[in-house]
Amino acid sequence: MIFTKSKTLALRSEEEIVLVRQATRSWMVEQRFTLVAQTKMMTATSELARNAVVYGGGGSARLELLEESGRVGIRVQIEDRGPGIADLEQAMTDHFTSGQGLGLGLGGSKRLVDEFEIWSEPGKGTRVSITWWK
Amino acid sequence: MEHIPILKVGEFLLVSIQVDMHDRLAMTLQDDLTTKLVATRAKGVLIDISSLEMVDSFIGRMLGHMAAMAGVLGAEAVVVGMQPAVAITIVELGMELTGVRTALSVDKGMALLRTLVDEDSFTLNPVS
């Protein structure tokens, strides 16, 4: 796998949630991903970015443009140094929420993308990686 | 402070969301809309989201709240212009938008609002 481009953006405020989802979209527009792909990836990015800001106390987002056997992909990795998630399985179920959200964030984001990976350690933080292949 | 404009068109209010809203701006819009509904005694609200590139669970919840608040204040609310890709995405995300009426275009939304408002006045003032 080749990384053709990457960029790290801070994720500390609501405004930065917008910047991160807009950056994801503009990279995908540049690479001519379909409109549905752009919309799904942008929405998943927004959900995860909000989790990092609201529950993780802020963090960062790393955007990567990938190439593997002639296919172009985009990956967004969102990381925070928040409290972490003790029970990942429970956190992935729909309507599970630790706060005031709809509880669609993790499970819903997973449904929207091609690849979804999550690492979390209580007391250390959470990292989620989502990828869309063209 | 940033605001999304709310226009009065006859007996209705028109909100056209043209920017990618951050969360606080969305909350401000909710507050502004309730204030304006009370001030104008509008019977209906049309919320145009045709410029929105995505509706995540936060914005979805905000749309639901605006519809509910309009209802409590005696007005009908219709969300119009959702892009097809946005519709596909919110369904897969698992969002239900319960209680939110939708129409394809501003014209169709206006027509729906008019029907709803007429029905309301019929129910409230039955001809005896």
Side-chain angles (χ1 to χ4, degrees):
Chain A
M1 188 154 56
I2 311 163
F3 293 83
T4 45
K5 189 167 139 185
S6 69
K7 185 181 183 181
T8 303
L9 296 162
L11 203 43
R12 289 161 309 208
S13 64
E14 293 172 6
E15 285 82 359
E16 284 173 340
I17 300 175
V18 176
L19 293 179
V20 167
R21 72 186 181 216
Q22 284 294 342
T24 304
R25 179 176 174 273
S26 79
W27 280 32
M28 292 181 83
V29 170
E30 235 173 73
Q31 295 297 321
R32 299 173 187 222
F33 279 86
T34 64
L35 185 58
V36 171
Q38 289 169 31
T39 309
K40 287 185 177 178
M41 193 69 179
M42 189 187 182
T43 308
T45 301
S46 184
E47 296 293 326
L48 300 172
R50 181 169 296 98
N51 282 351
V53 170
V54 176
Y55 305 114
S60 62
R62 185 176 167 78
L63 274 64
E64 291 168 344
L65 205 57
L66 316 167
E67 218 180 294
E68 192 176 57
S69 6
R71 282 180 93 191
V72 173
I74 181 167
R75 176 169 293 158
V76 180
Q77 295 198 55
I78 301 212
E79 201 174 67
D80 68 57
R81 289 174 183 281
I85 302 165
D87 188 343
L88 274 180
E89 206 176 312
Q90 185 194 26
M92 293 298 299
T93 42
D94 271 8
H95 306 294
F96 170 79
T97 173
S98 56
Q100 48 165 351
L102 289 175
L104 297 170
L106 288 176
S109 303
K110 186 180 181 182
R111 278 195 297 275
L112 291 180
V113 298
D114 286 339
E115 289 170 21
F116 180 101
E117 282 179 282
I118 182 163
W119 302 266
S120 189
E121 208 177 314
K124 295 230 166 123
T126 304
R127 179 158 54 101
V128 187
S129 167
I130 51 174
T131 311
W132 191 287
W133 293 101
K134 204 166 134 183
Chain B
M1 200 164 114
E2 272 177 287
H3 289 272
I4 307 271
I6 302 172
L7 310 175
K8 188 163 184 296
V9 183
E11 55 182 331
F12 301 141
L13 296 180
L14 175 63
V15 183
S16 186
I17 306 171
Q18 304 274 344
V19 292
D20 192 354
M21 292 184 292
H22 55 74
D23 300 359
R24 209 167 347 96
L25 183 56
M27 300 300 286
T28 307
L29 174 58
Q30 254 177 238
D31 291 350
D32 288 351
L33 181 64
T34 47
T35 311
K36 196 103 178 188
L37 272 169
V38 172
T40 60
R41 294 164 189 261
K43 292 270 185 282
V45 189
L46 206 65
I47 304 163
D48 170 34
I49 61 163
S50 57
S51 297
L52 285 191
E53 290 145 357
M54 54 127 246
V55 170
D56 63 3
S57 59
F58 188 89
I59 295 178
R61 190 165 40 142
M62 183 214 62
L63 293 173
H65 284 180
M66 291 207 295
M69 286 168 185
V72 170
L73 293 170
E76 300 287 349
V78 178
V79 170
V80 300
M82 185 184 291
Q83 292 182 16
V86 173
I88 292 169
T89 303
I90 63 170
V91 170
E92 276 186 35
L93 188 62
M95 213 188 316
E96 281 156 16
L97 289 182
T98 319
V100 179
R101 284 175 200 275
T102 56
L104 286 177
S105 64
V106 171
D107 279 345
K108 290 200 165 111
M110 278 288 184
L112 176 58
L113 266 186
R114 191 150 305 285
T115 316
L116 291 169
V117 168
D118 289 349
E119 271 173 20
D120 285 352
S121 59
F122 182 74
T123 326
L124 291 173
N125 308 302
V127 184
S128 50

